[in-house]
Amino acid sequence: MIAIKRLSAQTYELTDADKDSFYLVIGSRKAAVIDTGISKGERILPQLKALTTLPMVLVLTHAHIDHFHHMDEFETVYMSHKELSMPRGFLEAMMEGKTLDLEGTINVTTGDKLDLGGQTLEICEVPGHTPGSICVYNPEQNQVFTGDAIGSGCGVWMQLLGCSTLSEYQQSLQHFLAWLVERGGRMQFRGGHSHQSAPSIMHPQGNPLSLGLLCDMIDLVEQVRSGYVAGKPCHGLALTQEPSLLAAYGRADLVYRQGIVD
């Protein structure tokens, strides 16, 4: 069963049993669901329809199973088609036996806007964690939905198949920072796993997503690329044959493979 938290009159945070976070933004004409979580054996649309009777569209921050598992419940789905550059076998493995029509989604790029009626969603591409990761800004409520693009308080995974090189990721983060600053830079960040912003071993007082964390991530990526910071083995997160490394700086943590350091 999905846990539901009302963030404002127009926004809900929804959390599945595995603590994956996704969101519902309600306008005057339609509503948008941002990601889907993964509730195996269940449908999420009936629970969402209990919150609003408006027609719904789905916006995917990226094509990983805990973000797009329920996309087949929606008629209209937005996603960056740069995600389709990931190996087909990898994408199908993510589907866990479901038939999900990624090619049938509507492509989005930086600068695209979705008008929900009184609520707007602006798209910014932030490739790195995946080639087509996007973040979604809602100016009326000054909140930005980041998926896994900069982590959720305890680091970003860059050790996966399909991740960008660190130089590409650094450029992506710098562009994202400038994009946010142009919009005031003081927005609320909503990550894909909000519980990870709670207190942890490395951050006992909690580590909420923020512009400061984003700046620390830019510095961390630069320091790893320059060799100033060396990652330590991270065996539990080695999801490819190549060993994974964990590096940290300030509020930012990065899990990566040596093969993407350039």
Side-chain angles (χ1 to χ4, degrees), residues 3-14 26 51 190:
I4 300 172
K5 178 180 179 181
R6 191 165 195 169
L7 301 176
S8 71
Q10 291 81 26
T11 308
Y12 289 87
E13 177 186 273
L14 303 109
I26 302 173
L51 302 176
R190 313 288 190 193

Side-chain angles (χ1 to χ4, degrees), residues 83-231:
E83 294 293 77
L84 301 177
S85 67
M86 288 190 283
R88 185 67 195 180
F90 176 76
L91 291 172
E92 290 179 350
M94 283 282 179
M95 297 179 192
E96 295 190 344
K98 299 184 75 172
T99 301
L100 302 178
D101 182 15
L102 297 177
E103 289 80 2
T105 59
I106 300 171
N107 184 39
V108 289
T109 60
T110 298
D112 287 345
K113 296 182 180 181
L114 304 181
D115 182 4
L116 306 179
Q119 300 293 318
T120 310
L121 300 182
E122 298 183 20
I123 306 300
C124 182
E125 297 171 81
V126 190
H129 178 64
T130 67
S133 285
I134 63 169
C135 293
V136 183
Y137 178 53
N138 175 209
E140 289 81 8
Q141 298 184 80
N142 200 31
Q143 56 188 349
V144 58
F145 304 92
T146 57
D148 292 345
I150 59 172
S152 292
C154 75
V156 62
W157 283 13
M158 293 289 292
Q159 83 280 29
L160 306 174
L161 189 66
C163 291
S164 303
T165 65
L166 288 189
S167 64
E168 292 169 335
Y169 187 43
Q170 183 178 347
Q171 292 174 13
S172 171
L173 294 175
Q174 290 170 333
H175 173 264
F176 185 42
L177 174 61
W179 192 87
L180 293 175
V181 169
E182 287 177 357
R183 287 154 180 78
R186 301 288 294 177
M187 54 280 294
Q188 294 177 309
F189 285 67
R190 313 288 190 193
H193 307 273
S194 63
H195 74 286
Q196 294 177 347
S197 297
S200 65
I201 293 175
M202 296 189 71
H203 301 282
Q205 303 305 314
N207 193 35
L209 289 175
S210 65
L211 205 70
L213 184 148
L214 173 57
C215 291
D216 284 349
M217 185 66 73
I218 293 171
D219 288 343
L220 174 57
V221 172
E222 169 61 27
Q223 291 178 33
V224 170
R225 292 185 61 224
S226 69
Y228 184 78
V229 169

Side-chain angles (χ1 to χ4, degrees), residues 33 36 56-60 68 70-81 101-102 104-108:
V33 182
T36 72
M56 293 185 200
V57 300
L58 175 63
V59 182
L60 297 177
F68 78 157
H70 297 278
M71 64 172 285
D72 54 344
E73 298 182 38
F74 297 83
E75 291 185 8
T76 304
V77 182
Y78 296 89
M79 183 190 80
S80 168
H81 283 189
D101 182 15
L102 297 177
T105 59
I106 300 171
N107 184 39
V108 289

